[in-house]
Amino acid sequence: MAFDRFVAICNPLRYASILTPPRIVKMGLVCLLRGVIPIFPVPILLKQYRYCQANVLSHSYCLNQEVMTMACSDIRVNVIYGFFVTVSSAGFDFLLILVSHVIILKTVLSIMSHVERLKALNTCVSHICIVLLFYIPWIGLSVIYRFMKISSPLVQNVLGNVPLLIPPLMNPIVYSVKTKPIHARIIRVFIK
């Protein structure tokens, strides 16, 4: 999303020539590999442990941190690797998003029209909010499982499901509310 916004704001006339279908496919493959490669060793690490606790998970999916807590073996390697992957992935993503938004901000501030400047900034703010809704619970969950022994299962479940449910639900809402006909219709509904 950040690269799409970057190209749309910084090079709007070259958007179609920069984001060609082959380039989008390559970017998708890079994103897929970026997601799979760091996580690939985790099941191998988890398989090496001996488990002596109940094998019932409280999350709606198999969360690595929760499976680690069920192990009777020394899980330090998994804790260190998992935390390193979480922090480095989030840090790398944050760095790329920050750099793209700084360049976007520089471009936006050079726009003479106040209305167009606000429109471009509004798009950036929406994107940053969606990104924060994804990363803050993800990092919080990682910290809770790795470094805090006492934590409410409700907090863990909420933090575990927020990054999965909220961004996909909020994306269409955030971006559709910005279109004028939908925005006007929503205002009419609430004014009545």
Side-chain angles (χ1 to χ4, degrees):
M1 283 173 52
F3 187 72
D4 176 64
R5 294 297 92 207
F6 169 72
V7 174
I9 292 171
C10 295
N11 293 310
L13 300 176
R14 295 183 49 217
Y15 183 84
S17 64
I18 293 173
L19 288 177
T20 60
R23 186 165 287 151
I24 292 171
V25 168
K26 288 175 188 171
M27 288 169 51
L29 286 173
V30 167
C31 289
L32 179 70
L33 289 174
R34 183 237 168 256
V36 170
I37 289 173
I39 299 300
F40 186 72
V42 171
I44 297 167
L45 289 171
L46 288 174
K47 189 172 179 174
Q48 295 175 1
Y49 301 133
R50 200 182 84 232
Y51 298 94
C52 56
Q53 295 181 14
N55 58 357
V56 178
L57 300 175
S58 62
H59 286 278
S60 56
Y61 57 95
C62 186
L63 184 66
N64 171 43
Q65 293 96 322
E66 189 174 18
V67 175
M68 281 188 328
T69 60
M70 294 179 181
C72 299
S73 311
D74 182 21
I75 59 170
R76 271 184 277 176
V77 172
N78 201 319
V79 169
I80 293 168
Y81 179 76
F83 192 68
F84 171 77
V85 166
T86 300
V87 170
S88 62
S89 296
F92 182 68
D93 291 351
F94 177 75
L95 181 67
L96 289 177
I97 291 168
L98 180 70
V99 167
S100 69
H101 278 82
V102 165
I103 295 169
I104 288 170
L105 188 62
K106 181 182 166 198
T107 304
V108 165
L109 293 176
S110 69
I111 297 173
M112 293 299 188
S113 168
H114 182 69
V115 173
E116 292 298 318
R117 196 179 308 153
L118 287 177
K119 185 177 176 184
L121 285 174
N122 187 18
T123 302
C124 291
V125 168
S126 302
H127 176 248
I128 289 171
C129 288
I130 296 294
V131 167
L132 289 175
L133 274 172
F134 178 77
Y135 282 107
I136 289 174
W138 181 44
I139 292 170
L141 188 65
S142 180
V143 169
I144 284 173
Y145 268 105
R146 285 181 173 84
F147 301 114
M148 296 175 71
K149 298 297 177 202
I150 303 170
S151 181
S152 163
L154 178 65
V155 171
Q156 293 172 356
N157 278 320
V158 168
L159 286 176
N161 288 316
V162 163
L164 298 175
L165 300 174
I166 301 299
L169 291 173
M170 292 302 292
N171 238 350
I173 293 169
V174 166
Y175 290 109
S176 66
V177 166
K178 289 195 290 186
T179 60
K180 288 181 184 179
I182 295 174
H183 185 76
R185 185 76 180 241
I186 290 171
I187 289 174
R188 267 190 273 142
V189 166
F190 285 112
I191 290 177
K192 287 183 180 180

